[in-house]
Amino acid sequence: EAQVTQNPRYLITVTGKKLTVTCSQNMNHEYMSWYRQDPGLGLRQIYYSMNVEVTDKGDVPEGYKVSRKEKRNFPLILESPSPNQTSLYFCASSFSRGPYEQYFGPGTRLTVT
Amino acid sequence: DAKTTQPPSMDCAEGRAANLPCNHSTISGNEYVYWYRQIHSQGPQYIIHGLKNNETNEMASLIITEDRKSSTLILPHATLRDTAVYYCIVSPNFGNEKLTFGTGTRLTIIP
């Protein structure tokens, strides 16, 4: 089954404790992206990657890092999480360079206390 | 990217057609119209997209006006499972760098 998976689905952590949210897709997509969703603000893009070793900032990249060492994986790293990064996070993937649909993961609900 | 305007909420009776409007008056020639929906806090789900011709798939139909300044998503026989937030998005066709999600339309299907 074609899908985007994220782990963990739920995470409660404390300020400053480094964490990684994994994202994996099995559709051989070049393009992958991370969004965060907050009440009243909709989905906002954090980082995206057009292919392996190619990443770029989205609208709200501060406080986040990403890497794309393999085509299927695109982890989101919070080196020193803060309470304002409490949010619902979505990973997405698609083929690139065209009007292709994006497939979204199920989401990761992160709470930073 | 062109901005979109959607009504914040709509109701539709179960079994009837749900017609969701979207205005995108500043759309440019290379921008597609996409529709996604989000059920509760699940990941957004792609529905359909189009450039200037009307499109239909197993989920919905997309009607784009001739001047491309507005469009309508049609769910032909709405069910309770279609209750969701529906997002109309315009995006260039040369890449998938970003989908700009607005606040969408909260569609409630009434039994």
Short mmCIF file of all heavy atoms in Angstrom, two decimals, chain A residues 11-72:
data_model
loop_
_atom_site.label_atom_id
_atom_site.label_comp_id
_atom_site.label_asym_id
_atom_site.label_seq_id
_atom_site.Cartn_x
_atom_site.Cartn_y
_atom_site.Cartn_z
N LEU A 11 3.89 12.56 21.08
CA LEU A 11 5.11 12.73 21.87
C LEU A 11 4.94 13.89 22.81
O LEU A 11 4.55 14.98 22.40
CB LEU A 11 6.31 12.96 20.95
CG LEU A 11 7.66 13.18 21.64
CD1 LEU A 11 8.04 11.96 22.47
CD2 LEU A 11 8.74 13.48 20.60
N ILE A 12 5.24 13.63 24.09
CA ILE A 12 5.30 14.69 25.10
C ILE A 12 6.73 14.74 25.57
O ILE A 12 7.29 13.72 25.99
CB ILE A 12 4.34 14.41 26.27
CG1 ILE A 12 2.90 14.31 25.75
CG2 ILE A 12 4.45 15.51 27.32
CD1 ILE A 12 1.90 13.91 26.83
N THR A 13 7.33 15.92 25.52
CA THR A 13 8.72 16.04 25.90
C THR A 13 8.91 17.34 26.68
O THR A 13 7.96 18.11 26.87
CB THR A 13 9.64 16.01 24.68
OG1 THR A 13 11.00 15.92 25.10
CG2 THR A 13 9.45 17.25 23.83
N VAL A 14 10.14 17.55 27.12
CA VAL A 14 10.44 18.75 27.91
C VAL A 14 11.32 19.69 27.10
O VAL A 14 12.03 19.28 26.17
CB VAL A 14 11.13 18.39 29.24
CG1 VAL A 14 10.19 17.57 30.11
CG2 VAL A 14 12.43 17.63 29.00
N THR A 15 11.29 20.92 27.47
CA THR A 15 12.10 21.95 26.79
C THR A 15 13.56 21.56 26.77
O THR A 15 14.12 21.14 27.78
CB THR A 15 11.92 23.29 27.51
OG1 THR A 15 10.53 23.67 27.45
CG2 THR A 15 12.77 24.37 26.88
N GLY A 16 14.16 21.67 25.58
CA GLY A 16 15.59 21.45 25.44
C GLY A 16 16.03 20.04 25.15
O GLY A 16 17.20 19.82 24.82
N LYS A 17 15.14 19.08 25.21
CA LYS A 17 15.53 17.68 24.97
C LYS A 17 15.37 17.35 23.49
O LYS A 17 14.26 17.24 22.97
CB LYS A 17 14.68 16.75 25.82
CG LYS A 17 15.11 15.30 25.73
CD LYS A 17 14.29 14.43 26.66
CE LYS A 17 14.73 12.98 26.58
NZ LYS A 17 13.93 12.10 27.48
N LYS A 18 16.50 17.13 22.84
CA LYS A 18 16.51 16.88 21.39
C LYS A 18 15.60 15.72 21.01
O LYS A 18 15.54 14.70 21.70
CB LYS A 18 17.94 16.58 20.94
CG LYS A 18 18.08 16.34 19.44
CD LYS A 18 19.53 16.07 19.06
CE LYS A 18 19.67 15.78 17.57
NZ LYS A 18 21.07 15.52 17.18
N LEU A 19 14.90 15.91 19.89
CA LEU A 19 14.05 14.83 19.42
C LEU A 19 14.04 14.80 17.90
O LEU A 19 14.35 15.79 17.22
CB LEU A 19 12.63 15.00 19.95
CG LEU A 19 11.82 16.19 19.46
CD1 LEU A 19 10.99 15.84 18.24
CD2 LEU A 19 10.90 16.70 20.56
N THR A 20 13.69 13.63 17.38
CA THR A 20 13.58 13.44 15.94
C THR A 20 12.24 12.79 15.62
O THR A 20 11.85 11.82 16.27
CB THR A 20 14.70 12.53 15.41
OG1 THR A 20 15.97 13.15 15.67
CG2 THR A 20 14.55 12.30 13.91
N VAL A 21 11.55 13.35 14.65
CA VAL A 21 10.32 12.75 14.13
C VAL A 21 10.66 12.17 12.76
O VAL A 21 11.16 12.89 11.89
CB VAL A 21 9.20 13.78 14.01
CG1 VAL A 21 7.91 13.10 13.55
CG2 VAL A 21 8.97 14.50 15.33
N THR A 22 10.42 10.89 12.63
CA THR A 22 10.78 10.25 11.36
C THR A 22 9.63 10.30 10.37
O THR A 22 8.45 10.35 10.74
CB THR A 22 11.20 8.80 11.57
OG1 THR A 22 10.07 8.05 12.05
CG2 THR A 22 12.34 8.70 12.56
N CYS A 23 9.98 10.32 9.09
CA CYS A 23 9.01 10.27 8.00
C CYS A 23 9.56 9.37 6.92
O CYS A 23 10.73 9.52 6.53
CB CYS A 23 8.76 11.67 7.44
SG CYS A 23 7.73 11.67 5.96
N SER A 24 8.75 8.48 6.44
CA SER A 24 9.17 7.55 5.39
C SER A 24 8.05 7.36 4.39
O SER A 24 6.88 7.29 4.76
CB SER A 24 9.56 6.21 6.02
OG SER A 24 10.05 5.32 5.04
N GLN A 25 8.42 7.29 3.10
CA GLN A 25 7.43 7.04 2.05
C GLN A 25 7.91 5.89 1.17
O GLN A 25 9.10 5.71 0.96
CB GLN A 25 7.15 8.31 1.23
CG GLN A 25 8.39 9.03 0.70
CD GLN A 25 8.85 8.62 -0.67
OE1 GLN A 25 8.19 7.84 -1.36
NE2 GLN A 25 10.00 9.16 -1.08
N ASN A 26 6.95 5.13 0.64
CA ASN A 26 7.29 3.95 -0.16
C ASN A 26 6.88 4.10 -1.61
O ASN A 26 6.63 3.11 -2.31
CB ASN A 26 6.65 2.70 0.46
CG ASN A 26 5.13 2.77 0.48
OD1 ASN A 26 4.54 3.76 0.03
ND2 ASN A 26 4.50 1.73 0.98
N MET A 27 6.80 5.35 -2.09
CA MET A 27 6.31 5.60 -3.44
C MET A 27 7.40 6.11 -4.37
O MET A 27 7.11 6.54 -5.49
CB MET A 27 5.15 6.60 -3.37
CG MET A 27 3.94 6.04 -2.63
SD MET A 27 2.75 7.29 -2.18
CE MET A 27 3.49 7.99 -0.70
N ASN A 28 8.63 6.09 -3.93
CA ASN A 28 9.76 6.56 -4.73
C ASN A 28 9.60 8.04 -5.14
O ASN A 28 10.04 8.44 -6.22
CB ASN A 28 9.95 5.70 -5.99
CG ASN A 28 11.37 5.80 -6.55
OD1 ASN A 28 12.33 5.94 -5.80
ND2 ASN A 28 11.48 5.74 -7.86
N HIS A 29 9.00 8.81 -4.26
CA HIS A 29 8.79 10.23 -4.53
C HIS A 29 10.08 11.01 -4.35
O HIS A 29 10.83 10.78 -3.40
CB HIS A 29 7.72 10.80 -3.59
CG HIS A 29 6.35 10.37 -3.96
ND1 HIS A 29 5.29 10.46 -3.07
CD2 HIS A 29 5.83 9.88 -5.11
CE1 HIS A 29 4.19 10.04 -3.65
NE2 HIS A 29 4.49 9.67 -4.90
N GLU A 30 10.29 12.00 -5.24
CA GLU A 30 11.46 12.86 -5.09
C GLU A 30 11.21 13.93 -4.02
O GLU A 30 12.08 14.29 -3.27
CB GLU A 30 11.79 13.56 -6.42
CG GLU A 30 12.18 12.64 -7.56
CD GLU A 30 10.98 12.21 -8.39
OE1 GLU A 30 9.86 12.70 -8.14
OE2 GLU A 30 11.16 11.37 -9.29
N TYR A 31 10.00 14.45 -4.00
CA TYR A 31 9.69 15.61 -3.18
C TYR A 31 9.13 15.17 -1.83
O TYR A 31 8.23 14.33 -1.76
CB TYR A 31 8.66 16.49 -3.91
CG TYR A 31 8.19 17.68 -3.12
CD1 TYR A 31 8.91 18.87 -3.12
CD2 TYR A 31 7.01 17.62 -2.39
CE1 TYR A 31 8.47 19.97 -2.41
CE2 TYR A 31 6.56 18.72 -1.68
CZ TYR A 31 7.30 19.89 -1.69
OH TYR A 31 6.86 20.97 -0.99
N MET A 32 9.67 15.75 -0.76
CA MET A 32 9.13 15.53 0.58
C MET A 32 9.12 16.86 1.32
O MET A 32 9.91 17.76 1.02
CB MET A 32 9.94 14.48 1.34
CG MET A 32 9.92 13.11 0.69
SD MET A 32 10.73 11.82 1.64
CE MET A 32 9.52 11.54 2.96
N SER A 33 8.21 16.95 2.29
CA SER A 33 8.00 18.23 2.94
C SER A 33 7.48 18.01 4.36
O SER A 33 6.84 16.99 4.63
CB SER A 33 6.99 19.04 2.12
OG SER A 33 6.68 20.26 2.74
N TRP A 34 7.75 18.99 5.22
CA TRP A 34 7.18 19.00 6.57
C TRP A 34 6.32 20.24 6.75
O TRP A 34 6.72 21.35 6.35
CB TRP A 34 8.28 19.01 7.63
CG TRP A 34 8.83 17.66 7.93
CD1 TRP A 34 10.00 17.12 7.50
CD2 TRP A 34 8.23 16.67 8.78
NE1 TRP A 34 10.16 15.84 8.00
CE2 TRP A 34 9.08 15.55 8.79
CE3 TRP A 34 7.03 16.61 9.51
CZ2 TRP A 34 8.79 14.39 9.51
CZ3 TRP A 34 6.74 15.47 10.22
CH2 TRP A 34 7.62 14.37 10.23
N TYR A 35 5.16 20.03 7.38
CA TYR A 35 4.26 21.11 7.73
C TYR A 35 3.95 21.03 9.22
O TYR A 35 4.00 19.97 9.83
CB TYR A 35 2.92 20.99 6.99
CG TYR A 35 2.95 21.14 5.49
CD1 TYR A 35 3.28 20.08 4.67
CD2 TYR A 35 2.64 22.37 4.90
CE1 TYR A 35 3.29 20.21 3.28
CE2 TYR A 35 2.64 22.51 3.52
CZ TYR A 35 2.97 21.42 2.73
OH TYR A 35 2.97 21.57 1.36
N ARG A 36 3.60 22.17 9.78
CA ARG A 36 3.02 22.17 11.10
C ARG A 36 1.65 22.82 11.04
O ARG A 36 1.41 23.71 10.19
CB ARG A 36 3.91 22.89 12.13
CG ARG A 36 4.17 24.34 11.88
CD ARG A 36 5.00 24.97 13.02
NE ARG A 36 4.23 25.13 14.24
CZ ARG A 36 4.75 25.57 15.38
NH1 ARG A 36 6.03 25.88 15.47
NH2 ARG A 36 3.99 25.69 16.46
N GLN A 37 0.76 22.36 11.89
CA GLN A 37 -0.61 22.90 11.89
C GLN A 37 -0.96 23.37 13.29
O GLN A 37 -0.88 22.62 14.26
CB GLN A 37 -1.61 21.84 11.44
CG GLN A 37 -3.02 22.38 11.31
CD GLN A 37 -3.97 21.37 10.68
OE1 GLN A 37 -3.80 20.16 10.82
NE2 GLN A 37 -4.95 21.88 9.94
N ASP A 38 -1.34 24.62 13.36
CA ASP A 38 -1.73 25.23 14.62
C ASP A 38 -3.11 25.86 14.48
O ASP A 38 -3.45 26.36 13.40
CB ASP A 38 -0.71 26.30 15.02
CG ASP A 38 0.70 25.74 15.12
OD1 ASP A 38 0.94 24.97 16.06
OD2 ASP A 38 1.53 26.05 14.25
N PRO A 39 -3.90 25.87 15.55
CA PRO A 39 -5.26 26.42 15.46
C PRO A 39 -5.26 27.84 14.93
O PRO A 39 -4.50 28.70 15.39
CB PRO A 39 -5.73 26.35 16.92
CG PRO A 39 -4.92 25.26 17.53
CD PRO A 39 -3.58 25.33 16.87
N GLY A 40 -6.11 28.10 13.96
CA GLY A 40 -6.24 29.43 13.39
C GLY A 40 -5.16 29.83 12.40
O GLY A 40 -5.27 30.87 11.76
N LEU A 41 -4.13 29.01 12.26
CA LEU A 41 -3.02 29.37 11.36
C LEU A 41 -2.91 28.44 10.17
O LEU A 41 -2.08 28.64 9.29
CB LEU A 41 -1.70 29.36 12.13
CG LEU A 41 -1.57 30.39 13.25
CD1 LEU A 41 -0.25 30.22 13.98
CD2 LEU A 41 -1.68 31.81 12.68
N GLY A 42 -3.70 27.39 10.14
CA GLY A 42 -3.64 26.47 9.02
C GLY A 42 -2.34 25.69 9.01
O GLY A 42 -1.61 25.62 10.00
N LEU A 43 -2.03 25.10 7.87
CA LEU A 43 -0.79 24.35 7.71
C LEU A 43 0.29 25.28 7.17
O LEU A 43 0.06 25.99 6.19
CB LEU A 43 -0.96 23.18 6.75
CG LEU A 43 -1.62 21.93 7.30
CD1 LEU A 43 -3.12 22.00 7.12
CD2 LEU A 43 -1.06 20.70 6.63
N ARG A 44 1.44 25.25 7.77
CA ARG A 44 2.56 26.06 7.33
C ARG A 44 3.76 25.16 7.07
O ARG A 44 4.07 24.28 7.86
CB ARG A 44 2.91 27.12 8.39
CG ARG A 44 1.81 28.14 8.63
CD ARG A 44 2.19 29.12 9.73
NE ARG A 44 2.24 28.45 11.03
CZ ARG A 44 2.75 29.00 12.11
NH1 ARG A 44 3.31 30.21 12.06
NH2 ARG A 44 2.74 28.34 13.27
N GLN A 45 4.44 25.43 5.97
CA GLN A 45 5.55 24.58 5.57
C GLN A 45 6.80 24.93 6.37
O GLN A 45 7.16 26.09 6.51
CB GLN A 45 5.83 24.73 4.09
CG GLN A 45 6.80 23.69 3.56
CD GLN A 45 7.10 23.87 2.10
OE1 GLN A 45 7.51 24.94 1.67
NE2 GLN A 45 6.89 22.83 1.31
N ILE A 46 7.48 23.89 6.85
CA ILE A 46 8.69 24.08 7.65
C ILE A 46 9.93 23.95 6.76
O ILE A 46 10.75 24.87 6.67
CB ILE A 46 8.76 23.04 8.78
CG1 ILE A 46 7.50 23.11 9.66
CG2 ILE A 46 10.01 23.26 9.63
CD1 ILE A 46 7.40 21.97 10.65
N TYR A 47 10.09 22.82 6.14
CA TYR A 47 11.19 22.53 5.22
C TYR A 47 10.66 21.64 4.11
O TYR A 47 9.66 20.95 4.28
CB TYR A 47 12.33 21.80 5.93
CG TYR A 47 13.40 22.67 6.52
CD1 TYR A 47 13.34 23.05 7.85
CD2 TYR A 47 14.48 23.10 5.75
CE1 TYR A 47 14.31 23.85 8.42
CE2 TYR A 47 15.48 23.90 6.31
CZ TYR A 47 15.39 24.27 7.65
OH TYR A 47 16.36 25.06 8.19
N TYR A 48 11.38 21.65 3.00
CA TYR A 48 11.06 20.72 1.94
C TYR A 48 12.34 20.22 1.28
O TYR A 48 13.42 20.80 1.46
CB TYR A 48 10.10 21.32 0.90
CG TYR A 48 10.68 22.46 0.09
CD1 TYR A 48 11.28 22.23 -1.14
CD2 TYR A 48 10.57 23.77 0.54
CE1 TYR A 48 11.78 23.27 -1.89
CE2 TYR A 48 11.07 24.82 -0.21
CZ TYR A 48 11.68 24.56 -1.43
OH TYR A 48 12.17 25.61 -2.16
N SER A 49 12.20 19.13 0.53
CA SER A 49 13.34 18.54 -0.15
C SER A 49 12.91 18.10 -1.54
O SER A 49 11.93 17.37 -1.69
CB SER A 49 13.86 17.33 0.64
OG SER A 49 14.79 16.60 -0.12
N MET A 50 13.64 18.57 -2.54
CA MET A 50 13.30 18.20 -3.91
C MET A 50 13.94 16.87 -4.32
O MET A 50 13.53 16.29 -5.32
CB MET A 50 13.73 19.30 -4.88
CG MET A 50 13.03 20.63 -4.66
SD MET A 50 11.24 20.52 -4.87
CE MET A 50 11.12 20.32 -6.64
N ASN A 51 14.94 16.44 -3.59
CA ASN A 51 15.55 15.13 -3.86
C ASN A 51 16.62 14.88 -2.80
O ASN A 51 16.85 15.71 -1.91
CB ASN A 51 16.15 15.09 -5.27
CG ASN A 51 16.04 13.71 -5.91
OD1 ASN A 51 16.15 12.69 -5.22
ND2 ASN A 51 15.81 13.68 -7.21
N VAL A 52 17.30 13.76 -2.92
CA VAL A 52 18.33 13.40 -1.96
C VAL A 52 19.39 14.50 -1.88
O VAL A 52 19.83 15.02 -2.91
CB VAL A 52 18.99 12.06 -2.34
CG1 VAL A 52 20.14 11.73 -1.39
CG2 VAL A 52 17.96 10.95 -2.34
N GLU A 53 19.73 14.87 -0.65
CA GLU A 53 20.75 15.89 -0.37
C GLU A 53 20.35 17.29 -0.84
O GLU A 53 21.19 18.19 -0.84
CB GLU A 53 22.11 15.51 -1.01
CG GLU A 53 22.66 14.17 -0.55
CD GLU A 53 23.11 14.14 0.90
OE1 GLU A 53 22.97 15.16 1.61
OE2 GLU A 53 23.58 13.09 1.35
N VAL A 54 19.08 17.50 -1.18
CA VAL A 54 18.60 18.83 -1.59
C VAL A 54 17.45 19.23 -0.67
O VAL A 54 16.36 18.64 -0.73
CB VAL A 54 18.12 18.84 -3.05
CG1 VAL A 54 17.63 20.24 -3.43
CG2 VAL A 54 19.21 18.38 -4.00
N THR A 55 17.71 20.19 0.21
CA THR A 55 16.67 20.65 1.12
C THR A 55 16.62 22.17 1.10
O THR A 55 17.60 22.84 0.75
CB THR A 55 16.91 20.19 2.56
OG1 THR A 55 18.13 20.76 3.06
CG2 THR A 55 17.00 18.67 2.66
N ASP A 56 15.47 22.71 1.47
CA ASP A 56 15.33 24.16 1.51
C ASP A 56 14.29 24.55 2.54
O ASP A 56 13.43 23.74 2.92
CB ASP A 56 14.94 24.71 0.14
CG ASP A 56 15.44 26.13 -0.07
OD1 ASP A 56 15.84 26.79 0.93
OD2 ASP A 56 15.44 26.61 -1.22
N LYS A 57 14.38 25.81 2.98
CA LYS A 57 13.48 26.31 4.01
C LYS A 57 12.11 26.59 3.45
O LYS A 57 11.95 27.05 2.32
CB LYS A 57 14.06 27.58 4.62
CG LYS A 57 15.40 27.39 5.32
CD LYS A 57 15.94 28.72 5.82
CE LYS A 57 17.29 28.53 6.50
NZ LYS A 57 17.85 29.81 6.97
N GLY A 58 11.12 26.35 4.31
CA GLY A 58 9.76 26.76 4.00
C GLY A 58 9.47 28.08 4.68
O GLY A 58 10.34 28.94 4.80
N ASP A 59 8.26 28.21 5.17
CA ASP A 59 7.85 29.48 5.77
C ASP A 59 8.27 29.63 7.23
O ASP A 59 8.46 30.75 7.71
CB ASP A 59 6.32 29.60 5.70
CG ASP A 59 5.83 29.72 4.27
OD1 ASP A 59 6.53 30.36 3.46
OD2 ASP A 59 4.75 29.17 3.97
N VAL A 60 8.38 28.52 7.96
CA VAL A 60 8.67 28.61 9.39
C VAL A 60 9.78 27.63 9.79
O VAL A 60 9.58 26.72 10.57
CB VAL A 60 7.38 28.34 10.23
CG1 VAL A 60 6.43 29.52 10.12
CG2 VAL A 60 6.69 27.04 9.78
N PRO A 61 11.01 27.84 9.29
CA PRO A 61 12.07 26.86 9.53
C PRO A 61 12.80 27.00 10.87
O PRO A 61 13.54 26.10 11.28
CB PRO A 61 13.04 27.14 8.39
CG PRO A 61 12.88 28.61 8.14
CD PRO A 61 11.42 28.90 8.40
N GLU A 62 12.58 28.14 11.57
CA GLU A 62 13.38 28.40 12.77
C GLU A 62 13.14 27.34 13.84
O GLU A 62 12.01 27.03 14.19
CB GLU A 62 13.04 29.78 13.34
CG GLU A 62 13.42 30.95 12.45
CD GLU A 62 12.47 31.14 11.29
OE1 GLU A 62 11.30 30.66 11.38
OE2 GLU A 62 12.87 31.75 10.29
N GLY A 63 14.22 26.79 14.35
CA GLY A 63 14.14 25.81 15.42
C GLY A 63 14.09 24.37 14.93
O GLY A 63 13.99 23.45 15.74
N TYR A 64 14.14 24.18 13.62
CA TYR A 64 14.05 22.85 13.03
C TYR A 64 15.24 22.58 12.12
O TYR A 64 15.85 23.49 11.58
CB TYR A 64 12.77 22.71 12.18
CG TYR A 64 11.50 23.01 12.91
CD1 TYR A 64 10.94 24.29 12.88
CD2 TYR A 64 10.85 22.03 13.65
CE1 TYR A 64 9.76 24.58 13.54
CE2 TYR A 64 9.67 22.31 14.32
CZ TYR A 64 9.13 23.57 14.26
OH TYR A 64 7.97 23.85 14.93
N LYS A 65 15.56 21.30 11.99
CA LYS A 65 16.55 20.85 11.01
C LYS A 65 15.98 19.65 10.29
O LYS A 65 15.12 18.93 10.83
CB LYS A 65 17.87 20.44 11.71
CG LYS A 65 18.72 21.59 12.17
CD LYS A 65 19.96 21.09 12.92
CE LYS A 65 20.80 20.13 12.11
NZ LYS A 65 22.03 19.71 12.81
N VAL A 66 16.47 19.42 9.10
CA VAL A 66 16.07 18.24 8.33
C VAL A 66 17.30 17.67 7.65
O VAL A 66 18.34 18.32 7.55
CB VAL A 66 15.00 18.56 7.26
CG1 VAL A 66 13.68 18.95 7.90
CG2 VAL A 66 15.50 19.64 6.31
N SER A 67 17.16 16.45 7.18
CA SER A 67 18.19 15.84 6.34
C SER A 67 17.51 14.92 5.35
O SER A 67 16.42 14.41 5.60
CB SER A 67 19.22 15.08 7.18
OG SER A 67 18.62 13.93 7.77
N ARG A 68 18.16 14.72 4.22
CA ARG A 68 17.61 13.80 3.21
C ARG A 68 18.78 12.98 2.63
O ARG A 68 19.32 13.26 1.59
CB ARG A 68 16.93 14.61 2.09
CG ARG A 68 16.18 13.73 1.09
CD ARG A 68 14.78 13.49 1.47
NE ARG A 68 14.06 12.63 0.54
CZ ARG A 68 13.44 13.04 -0.55
NH1 ARG A 68 13.49 14.33 -0.89
NH2 ARG A 68 12.78 12.19 -1.32
N LYS A 69 19.12 11.96 3.38
CA LYS A 69 20.23 11.10 2.96
C LYS A 69 19.76 9.95 2.08
O LYS A 69 20.55 9.37 1.32
CB LYS A 69 20.97 10.59 4.19
CG LYS A 69 21.69 11.68 4.96
CD LYS A 69 22.45 11.12 6.13
CE LYS A 69 23.40 12.13 6.76
NZ LYS A 69 22.93 13.50 6.79
N GLU A 70 18.51 9.60 2.23
CA GLU A 70 17.92 8.55 1.40
C GLU A 70 16.64 9.10 0.81
O GLU A 70 15.99 9.94 1.42
CB GLU A 70 17.58 7.31 2.23
CG GLU A 70 18.72 6.72 3.01
CD GLU A 70 18.17 5.72 4.03
OE1 GLU A 70 17.66 6.16 5.07
OE2 GLU A 70 18.23 4.51 3.76
N LYS A 71 16.26 8.57 -0.33
CA LYS A 71 15.08 9.09 -1.01
C LYS A 71 13.82 8.87 -0.18
O LYS A 71 12.91 9.70 -0.17
CB LYS A 71 14.94 8.41 -2.37
CG LYS A 71 14.04 9.14 -3.34
CD LYS A 71 14.13 8.50 -4.70
CE LYS A 71 13.39 9.32 -5.73
NZ LYS A 71 13.48 8.71 -7.09
N ARG A 72 13.72 7.78 0.52
CA ARG A 72 12.47 7.43 1.19
C ARG A 72 12.29 8.12 2.54
O ARG A 72 11.18 8.18 3.05
CB ARG A 72 12.37 5.91 1.35
CG ARG A 72 13.43 5.30 2.26
CD ARG A 72 13.27 3.79 2.34
NE ARG A 72 12.02 3.44 3.01
CZ ARG A 72 11.11 2.61 2.49
NH1 ARG A 72 11.30 2.08 1.30
NH2 ARG A 72 10.01 2.31 3.15
#
